[in-house]
Amino acid sequence: AFTNKNISRPGIDSKELAFGTTGLLYRNNDLFFDDSTNSLWSQINGKAVVGDSVGQNLSRINFKTMSLKNAVLQYSESNILTFDTGYRRNYSDSSFKDYEKSDTTLSPVLNSSDKFAKKDTVYAFEIDEQIYAMNSADAEKEDFRIKTPNDIQIKTIYENGITRLFVNDQETQYIQSYWYVWYDHYPETIALKP
């Protein structure tokens, strides 16, 4: 459901885990499995929802979205992922265009909000244990600025197709998601609107 997030690989009994995709959804978001316990983990919140690892959480790892050119310049020793996987698949194809335009969801939604349209893409982030979300269409406007209800300054810079988020002039990580998916998992989220 359009959620990008990097998580750490915890160890169980000092063994590092490897993860794979299941093709399954949990509350409209991807589930992945670990190769050791075959537990199922929620992508959006990093919690084990089925299996021996239930009750465990994965830690979020900060990441930066950048152009390939900048990545190679800044991290010359890094491994770069490619769409040249050896399989005949068009990875740039959006198989969900009809879904994106429809009002339907793949599974029932437990928590909903009309603060944004259901399938609006939002950028969600946390400040002092409070979660906020803003519409990506707003965040991608030139010189976008907004304040939280307690006067924390938020601004975004959109350049070369990449949005950078700043909280009180400090760059901050965010998670991109459909609003209905995000709010279903995090109903305490405060929606920020211009």
Side-chain angles (χ1 to χ4, degrees):
F2 209 39
T3 309
N4 58 1
K5 183 176 182 178
N6 286 0
I7 46 98
S8 68
R9 293 192 298 187
I12 294 179
D13 298 327
S14 301
K15 181 181 179 200
E16 187 175 85
L17 300 177
F19 293 94
T21 185
T22 64
L24 302 173
L25 295 178
Y26 170 71
R27 293 175 61 193
N28 291 291
N29 198 255
D30 294 329
L31 282 178
F32 51 98
F33 70 93
D34 70 68
D35 68 341
S36 180
T37 70
N38 284 317
S39 295
L40 301 181
W41 301 79
S42 171
Q43 178 192 28
I44 198 166
N45 60 24
K47 294 180 181 179
V49 296
V50 174
D52 294 341
S53 298
V54 167
Q56 293 191 35
N57 297 309
L58 302 174
S59 299
R60 186 166 166 233
I61 298 173
N62 286 338
F63 66 96
K64 195 180 269 189
T65 303
M66 64 179 61
S67 70
L68 177 59
K69 179 181 176 182
N70 286 343
V72 170
L73 288 172
Q74 290 183 33
Y75 306 100
S76 60
E77 299 299 314
S78 296
N79 293 319
I80 305 294
L81 299 177
T82 176
F83 290 123
D84 184 12
T85 63
Y87 292 94
R88 297 177 79 168
R89 178 177 174 170
N90 181 358
Y91 290 96
S92 63
D93 173 46
S94 177
S95 302
F96 299 100
K97 285 187 192 277
D98 291 338
Y99 175 73
E100 290 172 4
K101 294 176 185 172
S102 75
D103 198 43
T104 62
T105 61
L106 296 173
S107 62
V109 176
L110 302 178
N111 302 296
S112 62
S113 165
D114 62 0
K115 298 288 185 181
F116 298 114
K118 188 185 297 185
K119 299 242 180 112
D120 278 355
T121 302
V122 297
Y123 297 151
F125 54 97
E126 186 177 334
I127 304 170
D128 298 329
E129 298 184 20
Q130 175 59 60
I131 300 172
Y132 299 92
M134 68 175 76
N135 193 312
S136 66
D138 291 330
E140 292 170 6
K141 292 177 182 170
E142 188 173 334
D143 198 35
F144 178 74
R145 295 171 188 269
I146 197 166
K147 287 184 180 181
T148 66
N150 52 346
D151 284 335
I152 297 172
Q153 298 283 334
I154 310 295
K155 76 174 181 178
T156 58
I157 297 174
Y158 183 73
E159 55 190 11
N160 300 321
I162 298 167
T163 302
R164 296 170 60 206
L165 177 91
F166 295 84
V167 174
N168 290 332
D169 294 321
Q170 295 289 325
E171 190 163 7
T172 301
Q173 297 291 310
Y174 62 87
I175 297 172
Q176 179 178 331
S177 177
Y178 285 132
W179 173 240
Y180 82 95
V181 175
W182 182 263
Y183 194 85
D184 192 25
H185 290 267
Y186 297 99
E188 69 277 16
T189 299
I190 295 174
L192 298 176
K193 292 183 163 191

